[in-house]
Amino acid sequence: MSTMMQPQIILLKEGTDTSQGKAQLVSNINAVMAVADVVRTTLGPRGMDKLIHDDKGNTTISNDGATIMKLLDIVHPAAKILVDIAKSQDSEVGDGTTTVVLLAGEFLKEAKPFIEDGVHPQNLIRSYRTASYLAIEKIKELAVSIEGKSLDEKRSLLAKCAATTLSSKLIGGEKEFFASMVVDSVLAIGNDDRLNMIGIKKVPGGTMRDSFLVNGVAFKKTFSYAGFEQQPKKFENPKILLLNIELELKSEKENAEIRLSDPLQYQSIVDAEWNIIYDKLDKCVKSGAKIVLSRLAIGDLGTQYFADRDIFCAGRVAEEDLQRVAAATGGTVQTSVNNVIDEVLGSCEIFEEKQVGNERFNIFSGCPSGQTATIVLRGGADQFIEEAERSLHDAIMIVRRAMKNSTVVAGGGAIDMEISRYLRQHARTIAGKSQLFINSYAKALEVIPRQLCDNAGFDATDVLNKLRQKHALASGEGALYGVDINTGGIADSYANFVWEPAVVKINAINAATEAACLILSVDETVKNPKSESAQGEAAAGAMGRGRGGGALRGRGRGMRRR
Ligand code: ADP
Ligand code: MG
């Protein structure tokens, strides 16, 4: 009776779906774990690749966490956070994208039984934040600096970092070859912050060993008109004119109206058009440049005109390439040919047009201000070259990071095991529930070495036990031991040059902890009936339900380990 008297409160629009509380949290955690499971097998040098094809029929083969996450097109609102952290890891440091996703998944997996047991998420969050703070402090303490070494020494150290990054990729077989190429290109651009100063050009065909580095700029020959064949294709110490104007005969009939009273005047108008273009061409020639590049078209008239005067020209050069030529040769892009002074002309030691595979390339080498490098990638399939490019991007980022921050830590799970041990040790000094949470956090960190083993087909339990024992040695001599990917045992990662820049690990732990805390702090999801597509709804629902049931069955109360 009394219920009938109470007014019903309608807060949200009809059809709005809300779910809240523990069940919602657990379902979010399950979704995140499902995403982590997708990228799990790609970790490490023995990791597998994913082939993803979309509705347009494009196929991508990749080992890169960020690329995979991006292409997966995840719709679950909580799981999307993982896509974001993978992306941010990619743009911040460039590597460690799989690591960050795995860690976030594992942190939440460890948190799940606590949530199910009724622990308030805020308690977990607080402990996780403390743990991540301690972990990062520890990484900073353990990091080894490569500052103050000679250039040669530095070069070989950086190459080691690059090789570690590349070892998990498709081109891992040639990691030394590419690592030195990457280091050379990064050293070439010096302190320039613009990453696009390193160009990567892809030319299908040949083998990956045919890839080469140009100390300067290279780009594919642009579209050319008749007369181009007569232009010289090689210069020594040429001056280079860079333009952003069209050198084409413009017939004005489309965008102008001219009224003539005397038919004879028509000729003068045609003449004027010719005069304008000839004047421009003449000024280019007078500037003393032997090479004329323009972002816009250089028509047949211009091409022939330049050919007659032994000048090389290329029109419709891509913006990016033109910028690189400008930076490398010291020239400035002009928007007018009036008053071209010597200072705005660029120069280089050698320019030549060369055949690379089926393509012709314009190559500027020996550029005075350096600051640019171009890697020309060769290889069989398109997908292969694409993945090679992504891998090189990772390696380039890592070398740049290592150069800037110049501290490295031991990879292969060594650093993860060491922080894990340290946190466990620290947890013992804490009274109260927090001890359990920090222990769980420490356990979650072991996912990296465990996964490296799993992916290589080793007995993960066995290797991890060995690692734990080694890291627990009171003398601290085992601190650098990680998974030995070649033998299935353990080895000193540092001595084996499996190195990672400290910043990769720091960023990964930071981002993964933040993501885990964010997801733990959400206890209600409200879905507006119109705002999301039906497809997204279905997929999200299936994800939460499917995983939730199994996981609840698998782990009951009191089954928490350690
Ligand atoms: P991410 O996207 O996170 O960079 P990767 O697939 O590149 O993932 O794998 C990186 C992990 O592989 C790091 O933990 C790194 O220490 C480890 N690793 C790389 N090379 C080796 C190696 N030669 N031996 C053992 N571990 C390695
Ligand atoms: Mg990597």
Side-chain angles (χ1 to χ4, degrees):
M1 191 64 194
S2 62
T3 48
M4 280 176 70
M5 304 289 284
Q6 267 175 7
Q8 208 187 348
I9 302 172
I10 298 171
L11 198 61
L12 301 168
K13 229 184 332 188
E14 195 185 338
T16 308
D17 182 23
T18 77
S19 56
Q20 53 185 195
K22 205 154 90 176
Q24 172 61 31
L25 243 172
V26 170
S27 137
N28 279 347
I29 292 178
N30 288 333
V32 170
M33 279 161 54
V35 175
D37 279 346
V38 175
V39 293
R40 192 173 286 279
T41 55
T42 67
L43 185 82
R46 298 280 188 276
M48 309 294 279
D49 300 331
K50 302 280 169 190
L51 191 155
I52 302 160
H53 57 132
D54 61 14
D55 49 358
K56 292 189 205 75
N58 298 330
T59 52
T60 310
I61 297 180
S62 185
N63 177 278
D64 181 49
T67 309
I68 298 170
M69 298 290 285
K70 215 163 23 195
L71 293 174
L72 278 184
D73 206 5
I74 290 171
V75 292
H76 191 284
K80 268 187 182 161
I81 294 173
L82 287 201
V83 183
D84 290 340
I85 57 169
K87 273 192 208 154
S88 88
Q89 176 85 9
D90 194 38
S91 54
E92 276 286 310
V93 281
D95 195 19
T97 47
T98 313
T99 306
V100 72
V101 174
L102 269 190
L103 280 178
E106 202 68 14
F107 288 151
L108 287 172
K109 184 173 167 190
E110 290 296 323
K112 190 169 137 184
F114 291 117
I115 299 291
E116 284 168 355
D117 285 354
V119 169
H120 195 281
Q122 287 301 343
N123 291 339
L124 267 167
I125 292 177
R126 206 171 320 124
S127 301
Y128 271 19
R129 289 236 164 91
T130 317
S132 96
Y133 173 78
L134 289 170
I136 286 166
E137 288 304 303
K138 189 72 185 167
I139 296 177
K140 286 184 183 156
E141 191 186 309
L142 290 172
V144 182
S145 174
I146 56 170
E147 198 80 70
K149 305 255 157 102
S150 71
L151 187 66
D152 264 357
E153 247 175 312
K154 229 177 189 169
R155 188 185 290 264
S156 83
L157 297 179
L158 292 173
K160 304 241 161 67
C161 288
T164 305
T165 298
L166 290 175
S167 67
S168 59
K169 309 290 184 191
L170 260 178
I171 53 174
E174 299 283 358
K175 62 182 176 191
E176 271 87 26
F177 174 70
F178 283 108
S180 69
M181 196 182 277
V182 164
V183 174
D184 286 343
S185 65
V186 174
L187 290 175
I189 68 164
N191 285 327
D192 198 324
D193 263 337
R194 290 170 297 173
L195 188 62
N196 60 8
M197 283 300 131
I198 301 179
I200 299 183
K201 300 286 163 189
K202 295 165 281 188
V203 189
T207 67
M208 52 183 171
R209 272 263 169 193
D210 295 333
S211 309
F212 60 93
L213 177 79
V214 178
N215 243 324
V217 192
F219 56 84
K220 217 189 273 180
K221 175 176 122 29
T222 57
F223 179 80
S224 58
Y225 289 92
F228 178 78
E229 302 76 34
Q230 298 151 29
Q231 294 179 349
K233 300 292 175 335
K234 185 166 180 182
F235 288 101
E236 278 175 27
N237 296 313
K239 293 243 190 275
I240 303 158
L241 176 61
L242 307 167
L243 295 173
N244 195 4
I245 53 173
E246 235 167 79
L247 293 176
E248 217 170 3
L249 187 60
K250 267 269 187 57
S251 154
E252 296 292 349
K253 62 178 182 279
E254 263 122 43
N255 42 19
E257 185 179 309
I258 303 168
R259 285 169 197 265
L260 303 172
S261 46
D262 178 1
L264 286 179
Q265 284 177 348
Y266 181 67
Q267 188 58 43
S268 69
I269 289 170
V270 173
D271 286 348
E273 278 171 356
W274 284 81
N275 286 341
I276 292 172
I277 176 87
Y278 273 126
D279 179 51
K280 281 189 192 167
L281 292 173
D282 194 41
K283 280 178 173 148
C284 291
V285 175
K286 287 233 175 74
S287 73
K290 282 282 155 207
I291 296 169
V292 180
L293 303 180
S294 178
R295 215 175 75 69
L296 301 173
I298 296 180
D300 44 1
L301 183 71
T303 307
Q304 191 62 55
Y305 191 89
F306 287 136
D308 293 343
R309 287 155 187 81
D310 280 346
I311 291 175
F312 176 90
C313 75
R316 297 214 178 89
V317 179
E319 170 82 45
E320 217 186 30
D321 291 326
L322 200 67
Q323 290 299 338
R324 270 208 295 273
V325 176
T329 61
T332 347
V333 181
Q334 300 295 305
T335 47
S336 143
V337 282
N338 295 324
N339 284 327
V340 177
I341 48 171
D342 218 31
E343 278 78 75
V344 301
L345 296 178
S347 66
C348 70
E349 270 165 33
I350 291 175
F351 165 81
E352 68 187 315
E353 188 178 296
K354 246 193 352 209
Q355 189 80 23
V356 181
N358 284 332
E359 318 266 9
R360 292 200 67 80
F361 263 75
N362 294 344
I363 300 176
F364 302 78
S365 45
C367 299
S369 50
Q371 287 182 8
T372 44
T374 309
I375 295 173
V376 180
L377 268 182
R378 306 295 315 275
D382 275 347
Q383 283 94 340
F384 178 86
I385 303 191
E386 300 274 336
E387 172 69 356
E389 181 188 5
R390 282 191 291 271
S391 311
L392 285 187
H393 173 261
D394 277 15
I396 288 170
M397 290 294 277
I398 282 312
V399 172
R400 279 158 56 88
R401 287 293 151 191
M403 231 164 77
K404 276 225 173 80
N405 298 288
S406 60
T407 54
V408 294
V409 291
I415 185 76
D416 312 84
M417 284 309 281
E418 185 59 18
I419 319 168
S420 177
R421 178 203 63 80
Y422 168 71
L423 287 178
R424 270 181 230 258
Q425 195 182 26
H426 177 85
R428 268 185 239 126
T429 64
I430 302 173
K433 271 183 286 188
S434 183
Q435 183 187 62
L436 291 173
F437 307 152
I438 293 195
N439 247 332
S440 298
Y441 188 96
K443 178 154 175 274
L445 289 171
E446 286 181 354
V447 70
I448 303 295
R450 186 173 331 114
Q451 202 59 48
L452 285 173
C453 291
D454 277 348
N455 291 352
F458 305 149
D459 181 347
T461 318
D462 185 43
V463 176
L464 249 69
N465 284 338
K466 281 188 197 152
L467 278 177
R468 279 196 206 108
Q469 184 261 348
K470 200 83 186 171
H471 282 260
L473 289 180
S475 60
E477 62 181 89
L480 298 173
Y481 273 70
V483 181
D484 184 347
I485 220 72
N486 298 318
T487 64
I490 63 173
D492 187 332
S493 293
Y494 192 79
N496 287 339
F497 301 115
V498 180
W499 293 0
E500 288 177 275
V503 61
V504 171
K505 270 280 131 77
I506 292 177
N507 212 64
I509 287 187
N510 241 336
T513 310
E514 277 313 315
C517 290
L518 191 63
I519 286 164
L520 283 176
S521 69
V522 173
D523 72 341
E524 175 155 1
T525 310
V526 182
K527 187 153 50 184
N528 207 324
K530 291 260 168 55
S531 64
E532 270 183 66
S533 68
Q535 179 205 5
E537 187 182 318
M543 222 175 204
R545 270 196 306 281
R547 301 268 315 174
L552 278 170
R553 253 176 281 124
R555 263 201 193 182
R557 240 164 212 284
M559 280 191 62
R560 195 174 311 130
R561 279 161 287 165
R562 255 158 300 137

